Amino acid sequence: MLLECMMNGHAILYTGVTLAFWSTILIVGICYTIFDLGFRFDVAWFLTETSPFMWACLGIGLAISLSVVGAAWGIYITGSSIIGGGVKAPRIKTKNLVSIIFCEAVAIYGIIMAIVISNMAERFTGTTPETIGAKNYQAGYSMFGAGLTVGFSNLFCGICVGIVGSGAALADAQNASLFVKILIVEIFGSAIGLFGVIVAILQTSKVKMGD
Amino acid sequence: MAEPRSSSRRMLMAFFAFFFAFFYTGSSTAQVPVVLWSSEGLPALAPPAAGHIVSTDQLTAYLTSAFGSGPRTVLLFLQDKLSKDDFTVFGGVFGNKQDSAFQNLEAALQSSSSSVTLPAFEWSGSSAIPALLQEELGVSPLLVDPDTLSHLSINSSASNLLLFNLPYCTSVHKSCKEVLHDNDEVIGKVLTIMKAKKIPYTAVYTGSQPSRVISETSMSNQPAGRSLLQAVVPDVKAPIMFNGTGGPCIMLWAQNLSISLSSTAAWIDLAAETPTMTGSMCNSTNSLLVLNYASGYVLSFNMIQRFYSVSARNWFTLESVQLQSNGVTASFSGRRAIYAPAEYSYHCQTVSSIGDALLVQNSTNVNASQWRLNFVDFQIQGFSLANGTNFSYASDCAGFFTAGIWMGLLTSLLMLLIFVYGLHMIMQLNTMDRFDDPKGPSISVPQSE
């Protein structure tokens, strides 16, 4: 019976990896606790010893890549509907490109933010937490947070616009008067990507990296 | 009849087993096997122990006891060369009994009422055995061959010694096996003739010299004992201990306590000198270890212990390390990096003010601004020394993962996660089969435009 439930090979693999990961964490944690070595689990050490550059660059990378994933996903969903619906109703082709443009806008937001954030990354001399200084740590973490913010916002915005656009294309193929109404839904969906951009700008407004 | 046969069979097996076993022992002493069997009785002889070489005296004693009672007819089959290895090689002992070149010999041993096998008899000369038998029986050997034997009349009331010379493998026309087989045929023929003549006999099969001598290398050159290969572990010097009230209070151990008074001056290792500890003190919150060296340097370590509420335990830090020379004092702070729970000691391979500095100079004296410290394999404990003269568990400055390893792990695991997510999405793409109709006509793609 277990074999029937786990017929999917992917499920077995993911279950196995998750199990291995969590059991490692659990066993290591238990050993540290038993031997009174819990003091070696030092989050502050981790946050101060890892370089602010890593955090900044992760933020920049995630900003662009997650935005692009959102845009791509949305375009893929909308595009297949437009192409499919356009076989029987060729008139929908031109009008529904607007949905594609809304998805693409999300990717534009991502790349703009990535460029803005990467311009804030400056060189600093300092190897110990004291010499690096609080401002550099703040800069690193802010850039990471901003990148994450804009990335995830654009990811979900892109998917949302894509699904709505797909529905719009198919409705338009049925009945041309439906398109404009559905477009309003799409505009609301597109706004959330913009929110992400605004918040990210706010996060990085006080960033000053360097000596 | 069955019992003697089974015992003879067992002796035959033992005979071959001994030969096989002796193949590995090898001895530089020349030896020949001697096989005796008789149609009448032979006194029993305990089989010699493996490796034992029967000496001439032992055989003489045995033959005296065997031939003592009355006249005997002895048939001596003297092969040019014989060794126990010949039996191993040609005797069909590897499960191939049908290939044995000694079939008549085996049959004779089995059917005789008693037989004696000596796998190793000390060889001292080619005429040793004939001479021995001649001495025992009191008659000189008579050289015979099977053809003349049939015409010979033997007087069984007197002792007779009939000598049959058998060749060994020297001829190039015949293989060794054939030669030995022919010898075996001769033995068989002779025994048949003797049986036909109804004369009781004792037969001896041996060689006048050994065919193979395996020289043995002397093992006495090698030492028989064992010696340990582990290198001698050098003694570890004792840690510097300061005794407060009731036992040691502060302990310090370092391989090197090197100091340098300028960036170009040579390093002076203070650990090679013996310090005095005047000025040291320790109480429940402060420990101060002052090391006064004869060369004029004073090195002091100041540690404090406090309760930290977030982690809810006591931690100690090495607040400062002070170096004093010629009235000038330099102070190095170890507060940031050198800390450990108060129950444990602190250990680090390199504690220095240069390179990856754990000690940061915070004195304002201009004269001392170039002074440097470098402690190698450094371990210190200022509190909770309840363990007598041993350090407590050493909280090491090096953790399991370094900061770099953490950064690498974080980044690569993140990318791996993204990759696996994408891979999962791709792997669940399926070909559309909604409009497949297995019973319908298959798609034809016309070749012409």
Side-chain angles (χ1 to χ4, degrees):
Chain A
M1 199 172 78
L2 199 65
L3 210 58
E4 287 166 12
C5 300
M6 302 285 260
M7 276 286 278
N8 188 0
H10 302 165
I12 296 172
L13 176 66
Y14 298 147
T15 316
V17 170
T18 311
L19 205 69
F21 175 73
W22 287 115
S23 59
T24 310
I25 300 278
L26 189 72
I27 288 170
V28 169
I30 287 174
C31 282
Y32 267 68
T33 311
I34 294 172
F35 296 119
D36 189 28
L37 293 174
F39 69 90
R40 307 234 34 142
F41 180 77
D42 199 344
V43 178
W45 175 89
F46 172 71
L47 291 176
T48 50
E49 290 288 323
T50 53
S51 167
F53 286 128
M54 176 193 82
W55 298 109
C57 295
L58 272 179
I60 296 163
L62 286 173
I64 181 63
S65 50
L66 290 174
S67 307
V68 164
V69 169
W73 207 330
I75 292 174
Y76 137 65
I77 296 172
T78 308
S80 15
S81 294
I82 294 174
I83 291 168
V87 170
K88 283 288 188 172
R91 57 180 166 76
I92 67 166
K93 297 194 304 291
T94 325
K95 241 196 310 183
N96 281 279
L97 287 178
V98 126
S99 308
I100 306 278
I101 291 169
F102 273 123
C103 291
E104 183 66 25
V106 153
I108 305 274
Y109 299 155
I111 191 159
I112 288 175
M113 280 316 296
I115 292 173
V116 165
I117 297 172
S118 67
N119 279 336
M120 298 173 188
E122 298 282 341
R123 183 142 51 111
F124 58 81
T125 56
T127 46
T128 67
E130 287 85 18
T131 48
I132 290 175
K135 282 208 85 56
N136 284 323
Y137 281 115
Q138 187 250 351
Y141 295 132
S142 295
M143 290 198 259
F144 178 68
L148 223 56
T149 307
V150 73
F152 278 112
S153 303
N154 288 338
L155 172 69
F156 297 119
C157 171
I159 297 172
C160 163
V161 169
I163 296 176
V164 173
S166 152
L170 296 175
D172 186 22
Q174 274 282 7
N175 184 351
S177 62
L178 291 171
F179 179 72
V180 178
K181 297 287 189 323
I182 295 174
L183 203 61
I184 297 176
V185 179
E186 225 173 292
I187 292 167
F188 278 110
S190 168
I192 55 180
L194 214 51
F195 298 159
V197 173
I198 293 168
V199 172
I201 299 262
L202 285 175
Q203 280 178 313
T204 52
S205 61
K206 295 199 178 57
V207 163
K208 188 77 176 65
M209 212 184 216
D211 291 326
Chain B
M1 195 55 183
E3 229 186 57
R5 182 174 286 145
S6 65
S7 70
S8 317
R9 171 168 241 129
R10 251 189 282 124
M11 288 184 95
L12 187 70
M13 292 304 172
F15 169 84
F16 287 116
F18 274 130
F19 281 8
F20 194 58
F22 276 117
F23 189 66
Y24 292 103
T25 55
S27 168
S28 55
T29 318
Q31 39 176 280
V32 285
V34 177
V35 185
L36 296 111
W37 69 98
S38 174
S39 60
E40 39 187 20
L42 272 183
L45 178 65
H52 177 74
I53 300 173
V54 177
S55 66
T56 318
D57 299 328
Q58 284 176 302
L59 186 60
T60 314
Y62 175 71
L63 288 177
T64 313
S65 67
F67 298 151
S69 53
R72 284 225 175 210
T73 307
V74 174
L75 310 168
L76 174 60
F77 298 102
L78 194 65
Q79 191 165 292
D80 273 351
K81 295 186 189 175
L82 183 67
S83 279
K84 55 184 184 257
D85 305 306
D86 293 320
F87 291 103
T88 316
V89 177
F90 301 109
V93 296
F94 298 107
N96 51 345
K97 222 155 169 31
Q98 63 277 10
D99 296 333
S100 171
F102 302 102
Q103 296 194 345
N104 287 330
L105 178 63
E106 286 178 45
L109 284 172
Q110 275 187 313
S111 63
S112 75
S113 51
S114 55
S115 64
V116 168
T117 62
L118 301 174
F121 171 70
E122 180 188 25
W123 180 76
S124 44
S126 56
S127 55
I129 299 221
L132 186 62
L133 287 169
Q134 184 178 341
E135 205 184 302
E136 285 297 316
L137 294 170
V139 290
S140 48
L142 180 65
L143 189 60
V144 201
D145 60 62
D147 305 315
T148 53
L149 180 64
S150 49
H151 303 304
L152 196 67
S153 64
I154 300 167
N155 186 4
S156 52
S157 55
S159 291
N160 297 302
L161 177 58
L162 304 174
L163 174 61
F164 298 87
N165 274 330
L166 301 172
Y168 191 62
C169 336
T170 45
S171 126
V172 292
H173 303 296
K174 273 192 190 174
S175 73
C176 214
K177 199 171 160 82
E178 281 176 24
V179 171
L180 291 173
H181 188 75
D182 291 341
N183 291 350
D184 193 55
E185 293 284 314
V186 165
I187 294 175
K189 209 188 288 183
V190 165
L191 294 180
T192 323
I193 295 171
M194 291 301 287
K195 203 182 293 187
K197 287 183 190 273
K198 293 191 179 48
I199 298 173
Y201 62 85
T202 304
V204 180
Y205 179 50
T206 183
S208 50
Q209 58 182 317
S211 66
R212 284 175 187 76
V213 176
I214 300 165
S215 65
E216 178 189 287
T217 56
S218 167
M219 298 282 273
S220 59
N221 296 334
Q222 298 165 16
R226 299 199 306 178
S227 59
L228 291 175
L229 294 174
Q230 184 185 6
V232 175
V233 178
D235 284 326
V236 183
K237 63 180 189 245
I240 298 168
M241 278 194 283
F242 171 67
N243 292 320
T245 52
C249 184
I250 309 177
M251 282 174 68
L252 169 71
W253 193 93
Q255 190 183 322
N256 286 348
L257 288 169
S258 305
I259 61 165
S260 161
L261 295 181
S262 79
S263 48
T264 50
W267 290 97
I268 306 162
D269 184 12
L270 293 178
E273 307 173 29
T274 319
T276 58
M277 287 176 278
T278 47
S280 308
M281 57 80 90
C282 64
N283 59 26
S284 59
T285 54
N286 270 45
S287 287
L288 176 67
L289 178 69
V290 181
L291 302 174
N292 306 286
Y293 288 96
S295 46
Y297 297 105
V298 180
L299 193 60
S300 64
F301 299 87
N302 186 20
M303 291 173 277
I304 63 170
Q305 177 190 223
R306 257 183 48 203
F307 179 79
Y308 289 78
S309 50
V310 174
S311 57
R313 75 187 302 164
N314 290 317
W315 296 74
F316 83 89
T317 62
L318 182 63
E319 285 288 313
S320 68
V321 176
Q322 290 190 338
L323 177 64
Q324 200 176 322
S325 160
N326 291 337
V328 185
T329 310
S331 175
F332 299 82
S333 168
R335 192 152 193 272
R336 181 189 81 79
I338 303 177
Y339 59 88
E343 303 89 35
Y344 303 137
S345 62
Y346 174 83
H347 172 271
C348 198
Q349 183 64 23
T350 311
V351 174
S352 65
S353 64
I354 51 170
D356 201 7
L358 294 175
L359 297 170
V360 178
Q361 188 160 13
N362 61 358
S363 54
T364 50
N365 198 332
V366 173
N367 295 342
S369 60
Q370 290 216 344
W371 289 13
R372 306 176 293 166
L373 298 177
N374 186 19
F375 305 149
V376 175
D377 202 357
F378 177 84
Q379 185 162 8
I380 195 167
Q381 182 165 6
F383 307 93
S384 318
L385 269 166
N387 228 354
T389 54
N390 285 335
F391 279 109
S392 306
Y393 168 80
S395 167
D396 203 295
C397 63
F400 187 73
F401 285 150
T402 64
I405 293 175
W406 279 119
M407 292 201 284
L409 273 177
L410 191 74
T411 324
S412 37
L413 285 179
L414 177 69
M415 289 198 274
L416 198 69
L417 179 73
I418 293 168
F419 170 71
V420 166
Y421 188 63
L423 197 69
H424 171 79
M425 285 174 50
I426 289 178
M427 285 198 298
Q428 58 168 11
L429 289 175
N430 290 319
T431 320
M432 179 169 251
D433 59 0
R434 179 177 287 280
F435 300 110
D436 282 354
D437 182 12
K439 296 201 177 88
S442 57
I443 297 173
S444 66
V445 179
Q447 289 292 331
S448 60
E449 66 273 13

